[in-house]
Amino acid sequence: MRPARTAPPRPPKSAAAGAASRRPATAAHLQRPRRAAVIELFEREPVTAYVALGANLGDAAAALRQAIGALNQLPGTHVSAHSSLYRTAPVDATGPDYVNAAVQLSTRLTAPDLLNALQALEQAAGRQRPYRHAPRTLDLDLLLYGDARIDSPLLTVPHPRMWQRAFVLVPLHEIAPARVGPGALAAVVGQGVRRLD
């Protein structure tokens, strides 16, 4: 006959308390911080931000339309305007023509949080970076974040090369003409940009 099993002795109260503090957080534990983050998000004043979209792999036009919908679903964010789609030849790169667009966002996300969200959407769309200027399933660039000027290792706003690119300026001018003056458009007039819709 096997001896009856006995429960292992309980640790002293102080040890049990220490073990509890090391347990993984459950959904109940995480609920309060998430609520606090949401409250903090909606206490911020919305900022008008502009994002450039591009793709040249797969069904690029469909990828951009899907991305516009996804941007509209970001926390504390909605798309207040979006441009037509434009076809452009790659700049400083090879590969198929790009489809490009621009969107205007009203967002309560901070600029770094918005950048993280854009990169997550790129990754979800299958974006890979095997080398610089590689063809892309989706490319999202934060162009402007209100009137902020940001220069950090991860983010530069206004986008440092936006004024050199017709595929950015032409769609941006369509939705925010006050942001792109005639001189800026004249400087890139030689770059081929064709409106699709």
Side-chain angles (χ1 to χ4, degrees), residues 2 7 23 25 31 43 48 57 59 67 80 114 155 163 185 196:
R2 291 184 183 175
R23 285 185 194 133
Q31 198 168 8
E43 284 176 345
T48 299
L57 292 178
D59 189 341
S80 43
L114 180 55
L155 177 62
W163 303 109
L185 286 177
L196 294 181

Side-chain angles (χ1 to χ4, degrees), residues 160-175:
R161 292 176 299 281
M162 63 181 283
W163 303 109
Q164 304 161 15
R165 297 173 168 177
F167 65 81
V168 171
L169 296 182
V170 172
L172 182 59
H173 180 265
E174 181 185 334
I175 58 173

Side-chain angles (χ1 to χ4, degrees), residues 145-169:
Y145 184 83
D147 293 320
R149 295 195 169 272
I150 303 168
D151 190 4
S152 77
L154 297 177
L155 177 62
T156 303
V157 173
H159 191 286
R161 292 176 299 281
M162 63 181 283
W163 303 109
Q164 304 161 15
R165 297 173 168 177
F167 65 81
V168 171
L169 296 182

Side-chain angles (χ1 to χ4, degrees), residues 68-191:
I68 291 169
L71 288 167
N72 201 45
Q73 299 298 317
L74 293 179
T77 301
H78 74 270
V79 173
S80 43
H82 66 83
S83 73
S84 305
L85 301 183
Y86 293 83
R87 183 173 298 281
T88 63
V91 175
D92 299 328
T94 57
D97 284 354
Y98 273 84
V99 177
N100 294 98
V103 298
Q104 176 181 290
L105 303 177
S106 174
T107 184
R108 288 182 165 89
L109 293 172
T110 64
D113 285 345
L114 180 55
L115 176 65
N116 289 338
L118 299 182
Q119 291 174 342
L121 291 177
E122 289 178 339
Q123 189 172 2
R127 169 79 184 265
Q128 297 181 355
R129 302 170 191 264
Y131 53 89
R132 195 163 185 250
H133 300 310
R136 295 136 200 225
T137 53
L138 182 64
D139 186 26
L140 300 173
D141 286 330
L142 179 55
L143 303 175
L144 301 165
Y145 184 83
D147 293 320
R149 295 195 169 272
I150 303 168
D151 190 4
S152 77
L154 297 177
L155 177 62
T156 303
V157 173
H159 191 286
R161 292 176 299 281
M162 63 181 283
W163 303 109
Q164 304 161 15
R165 297 173 168 177
F167 65 81
V168 171
L169 296 182
V170 172
L172 182 59
H173 180 265
E174 181 185 334
I175 58 173
R179 291 284 193 163
V180 183
L185 286 177
V188 296
V189 71
Q191 299 176 24

